[in-house]
């Protein structure tokens, strides 16, 4: 039952860290070299590379090395998939809330119409 | 810099597991008791309770105990936040792609207009 969520979980796991969220956010504005990406973070380069590796395994980014310079870029498809899944859950929840609200409103109207006929004969 | 992503990371971490994704998906259809929620999973109850605890800490679900029965329900706000953040990253990326496409198209048009005057004199 839960296997259908394996790929999605890898994407959410990749996003489950403030540094990795910040990297995704930065790469949304365009490809960047590893050294430029790493600069704002108070972190040793090997630790930073581990974050890039998690992002790359999830499919959210890809990288390419030319000479000694590695450049990373965002891959938008997994973000779309994650967004679609969240949107589906919210839509299901909202449809249920709408049905609940309609049910309560009906109940309220029925109670009113039950009350009014009793009053009329007086 | 990365602190702004701390709350968001907790939500993504909660979703970074197939069992927890499946629980969120189930609770989108309405509140459910822990025992009913746990039934489809081949998992000991304490392990299942740990998943519920991660979801509850992230704010994605809340639970309420009446007598011996604990009922869980989805809280949609953190899902909305996560969806909004992903949508923002995609929008930034798409705006950049559009600018890139426009730039390449301009370049192509300029090359064409550079080539055509040279041909005309022949």
């Amino acid at each position: 039952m839960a296997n259908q969520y394996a790929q999605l979980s890898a994407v959410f796991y990749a996003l489950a860290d403030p540094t990795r969220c910040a990297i995704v956010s930065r790469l949304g504005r365009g490809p960047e070299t590893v050294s430029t990406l790493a600069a704002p973070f108070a972190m040793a380069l090997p630790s930073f590379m581990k974050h890039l590796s998690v992002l790359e395994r999830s499919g959210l980014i890809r990288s390419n090395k030319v000479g000694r310079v590695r450049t990373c870029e965002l891959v938008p498809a997994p973000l779309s998939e994650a967004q679609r899944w969240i949107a589906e859950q919210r839509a299901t929840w909202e449809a249920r809330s709408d049905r609940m609200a309609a049910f309560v409103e009906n109940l309220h109207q029925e109670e009113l119409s039950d009350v009014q006929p009793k009053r009329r004969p007086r």
Side-chain angles (χ1 to χ4, degrees), chain A:
Chain A
M1 175 190 182
N3 278 353
Q4 59 180 304
Y5 300 113
Q7 174 61 32
L8 197 63
S9 299
V11 173
F12 286 134
Y13 177 74
L15 295 175
D17 177 276
T19 300
R20 295 196 293 267
C21 279
I23 294 170
V24 166
S25 200
R26 174 60 196 83
L27 291 177
R29 304 205 297 274
E32 203 52 87
T33 63
V34 169
S35 54
T36 308
L37 271 180
F41 298 95
M43 189 179 296
L45 193 62
S47 306
F48 190 77
M49 293 303 288
K50 277 184 195 162
H51 285 305
L52 290 184
S53 167
V54 171
L55 284 167
E56 201 157 6
R57 278 203 304 276
S58 77
L60 278 168
I61 72 169
R62 63 178 154 233
S63 73
N64 183 35
K65 199 171 185 180
V66 177
R68 293 179 63 181
V69 178
R70 181 171 290 279
T71 303
C72 300
E73 66 175 322
L74 189 68
V75 182
L79 277 183
S80 308
E81 274 301 292
Q83 190 183 2
R84 195 181 54 79
W85 184 83
I86 294 177
E88 276 174 15
Q89 310 318 309
R90 286 188 55 210
T92 307
W93 188 90
E94 279 162 13
R96 183 188 166 272
S97 297
D98 290 349
R99 286 198 304 276
M100 278 291 286
F103 176 77
V104 170
E105 177 60 21
N106 268 345
L107 212 65
H108 183 64
Q109 292 300 330
E110 279 173 23
E111 280 171 357
L112 281 179
S113 61
D114 280 356
V115 167
Q116 280 162 355
K118 281 178 193 162
R119 277 185 183 160
R120 230 175 284 148
R122 282 180 197 173

